[in-house]
Amino acid sequence: DTEVTQTPKHLVMGMTNKKSLKCEQHMGHRAMYWYKQKAKKPPELMFVYSYEKLSINESVPSRFSPECPNSSLLNLHLHALQPEDSALYLCASSQESTGDTEAFFGQGTRLTVV
Amino acid sequence: GQSLEQPSEVTAVEGAIVQINCTYQTSGFYGLSWYQQHDGGAPTFLSYNALDGLEETGRFSSFLSRSDSYGYLLLQELQMKDSASYFCAVRDIASNYQLIWGAGTKLIIKP
C-alpha cells in the first residue's frame, strides 16, 4: 500500500466555521507533512511531523492547527479562515523527515472559503 | 538565500524528447528531486539525484552537476499523458532538509 488518503476531497466552508482535514497512511512512514498549493504555484510547506511530534511550523497562522493522533494519522483543524486561504491542501508522508527520502502525496483537499 | 529556476513552459511533439532544466542556488545542497503533477492531481515523485551523473528510470532520466548547480529532467518517447507540470526541488541543510520547490514547468505535448 503506497497510498496517502485524504478526506474530504472538496470542502466549502464559511469564515466562521470549524472544519478538519484528515490524512492517513499505512506505509510505516515516520514523517508526515501538510502543504498548501495555490493554482499554478508549487506546494508550500506548512507543517512537518516527525515521529508524531511537530518538528517544523513554517510560521503558519494559528487559524490552522495540526494534530497527529498516531503514526498513521494527520489532521489539520481549520477555524476562522479567510477567503485567501482557499487552496489545495496536500498531505504527504516519507520514511524520515530528512535525507533522500521520497515523499508520497495524497490527492489533496480542495478548500473554498466563502 | 535559496532559489531554483526552471522554464515556465515547454512545448514538444508526441514521440519526441524534451529536456527540462533546473538551476539552483542553495547554501547547503543535499539533493535534487523531480515531481510530476497533472492538473487537479497530486505531485508524484519521479527521481532523486544526490551525486553527479545520470539516473535513468524507464523513459525518464535525471541529471545532476553539483559544480554547476544544475540539473535536468529528460523525457523520451513523449506521450500525451506526459502533459503535466514538472517541479524540481532541492533539499537544503539550511531549510532543515525540507524540499525547496521550483516554480514548475508546464509541459505541453502536441500530437
Side-chain angles (χ1 to χ4, degrees), chain B residues 24-76:
Chain B
Y24 59 86
Q25 205 170 20
T26 64
S27 51
F29 177 82
Y30 200 74
L32 178 69
S33 301
W34 288 92
Y35 284 81
Q36 178 193 61
Q37 186 175 27
H38 288 98
D39 282 348
T44 304
F45 174 82
L46 291 177
S47 68
Y48 174 79
N49 295 69
L51 302 175
D52 290 352
L54 192 67
E55 296 278 344
E56 297 181 65
T57 311
R59 294 187 297 115
F60 293 3
S61 304
S62 58
F63 173 82
L64 175 65
S65 168
R66 288 174 298 169
S67 60
D68 296 321
S69 297
Y70 163 75
Y72 66 72
L73 180 70
L74 190 75
L75 297 86
Q76 302 182 74

Side-chain angles (χ1 to χ4, degrees), chain A residues 33 35 37 40-43 45 48 56 88 90 97-103 105-107 110, chain B residues 30 35 37 40-45 48 50 87 91 95-99 101-104 106:
Chain A
Y33 312 78
Y35 282 87
Q37 188 176 28
K40 301 188 191 306
K41 297 286 187 187
L45 184 64
V48 180
I56 295 178
L88 181 67
L90 292 161
S97 63
T98 61
D100 58 346
T101 56
E102 172 184 347
F105 283 81
Q107 291 298 310
R110 191 159 299 281
Chain B
Y30 200 74
Y35 284 81
Q37 186 175 27
T44 304
F45 174 82
Y48 174 79
F87 294 93
R91 286 196 185 274
S95 65
N96 289 312
Y97 302 97
Q98 298 310 307
L99 290 171
W101 297 72
K106 187 171 178 62

Side-chain angles (χ1 to χ4, degrees), chain B residues 3-25:
Chain B
S3 67
L4 291 89
E5 287 201 17
Q6 52 181 129
S8 58
E9 189 175 291
V10 171
T11 301
V13 176
E14 193 175 13
I17 298 172
V18 74
Q19 179 174 310
I20 300 173
N21 298 321
C22 175
T23 57
Y24 59 86
Q25 205 170 20

Side-chain angles (χ1 to χ4, degrees), chain A residues 28-41:
Chain A
H29 288 172
R30 308 312 300 195
M32 295 186 77
Y33 312 78
W34 281 113
Y35 282 87
K36 172 183 177 180
Q37 188 176 28
K38 291 279 206 179
K40 301 188 191 306
K41 297 286 187 187

Side-chain angles (χ1 to χ4, degrees), chain B residues 73-93:
Chain B
L73 180 70
L74 190 75
L75 297 86
Q76 302 182 74
E77 301 170 21
L78 284 172
Q79 302 175 10
M80 297 304 290
K81 67 178 181 179
D82 298 328
S83 294
S85 291
Y86 292 84
F87 294 93
C88 60
V90 298
R91 286 196 185 274
D92 187 274
I93 295 167

